[in-house]
Amino acid sequence: MQGLLRISHWLDKIGYRCGQLASLMILASCVISASNAMIRYGFDWSNNWLLELQWYLFGAAVMLGASYTFQRNEHVRVDLVYGHVSERKQMWIDVFGIIFFLFPACLLFAWLSWYSLFLPSWDVLEQSSNSGGLPRYPIKIIVPLGFAMLTVQGVSELIKRLAALAGKAHLDSKYERPVQ
């Protein structure tokens, strides 16, 4: 189990780096938005590539930030049962959810987005239809990559929960209920 926990720790580092990258992308997107506004209204000059770059950065931040959000247990949770059961039962709910919902959904979406979104765009070197727009094919790899990273983080979370259930590790996965 210790070997699996080392793997989990290594996977968490990757997820953490994705979170840092997502944060930088949000910052860059905000700077680009402000710059674009100054250029548009200050110099009466519009440039589509800045707006598209901002969209690309936001999209990439969401897709890459999902794994970090899952790692921090800050994802959206529908709390019908989860908050009312013991911590051990919560871990079993997480294990069940990761195996039967997260993995199948993420693997399916990663596969579908690879074959139906990224590859067709790559094959034709898709470009924006807007004047001065950016190429679209490079950003489209972010969708399957984001789902793949969420799957990888799911592996890490599964390892940690199974180790905690076996008494081999302590898991601080407190879910804070929203203020009512």
Side-chain angles (χ1 to χ4, degrees):
M1 186 59 72
Q2 290 304 320
L4 289 175
L5 285 170
R6 280 193 292 277
I7 291 170
S8 173
H9 181 70
W10 183 74
L11 296 176
D12 283 347
K13 284 183 178 182
I14 295 171
Y16 179 75
R17 295 289 183 209
C18 284
Q20 287 181 318
L21 184 58
S23 295
L24 290 174
M25 288 177 179
I26 294 293
L27 176 62
S29 184
C30 292
V31 169
I32 289 168
S33 178
S35 302
N36 195 24
M38 288 189 301
I39 291 169
R40 178 179 294 144
Y41 299 114
F43 299 106
D44 196 27
W45 178 62
S46 180
N47 201 335
N48 286 331
W49 73 270
L50 284 172
L51 184 59
E52 288 186 6
L53 181 59
Q54 181 183 356
W55 294 344
Y56 290 4
L57 288 169
F58 270 131
V62 168
M63 293 306 298
L64 295 178
S67 62
Y68 179 67
T69 303
F70 186 43
Q71 178 187 86
R72 306 244 331 159
N73 201 25
E74 293 180 353
H75 54 286
V76 175
R77 186 187 306 270
V78 178
D79 186 5
L80 299 175
V81 176
Y82 196 85
H84 305 288
V85 297
S86 68
E87 190 173 336
R88 187 165 182 81
K89 287 181 182 172
Q90 287 177 350
M91 284 190 273
W92 277 113
I93 290 170
D94 288 345
V95 167
F96 180 83
I98 290 168
I99 292 171
F100 293 106
F101 294 107
L102 182 82
F103 286 160
C106 285
L107 292 171
L108 176 66
F109 293 147
W111 182 77
L112 287 174
S113 61
W114 178 263
Y115 284 104
S116 65
L117 182 71
F118 171 68
L119 283 182
S121 183
W122 178 266
D123 287 342
V124 297
L125 300 178
E126 183 181 4
Q127 298 289 316
S128 172
S129 59
N130 295 322
S131 173
L134 296 173
R136 290 216 172 134
Y137 62 93
I139 192 63
K140 289 190 176 183
I141 198 160
I142 292 295
V143 176
L145 180 64
F147 282 114
M149 290 308 305
L150 189 53
T151 303
V152 166
Q153 189 60 48
V155 170
S156 175
E157 297 304 314
L158 181 63
I159 291 169
K160 289 186 278 190
R161 278 155 181 78
L162 291 174
L165 286 167
K168 302 293 183 187
H170 173 71
L171 182 64
D172 184 19
S173 64
K174 287 289 185 195
Y175 167 65
E176 294 184 25
R177 296 174 66 187
V179 177
Q180 299 193 9

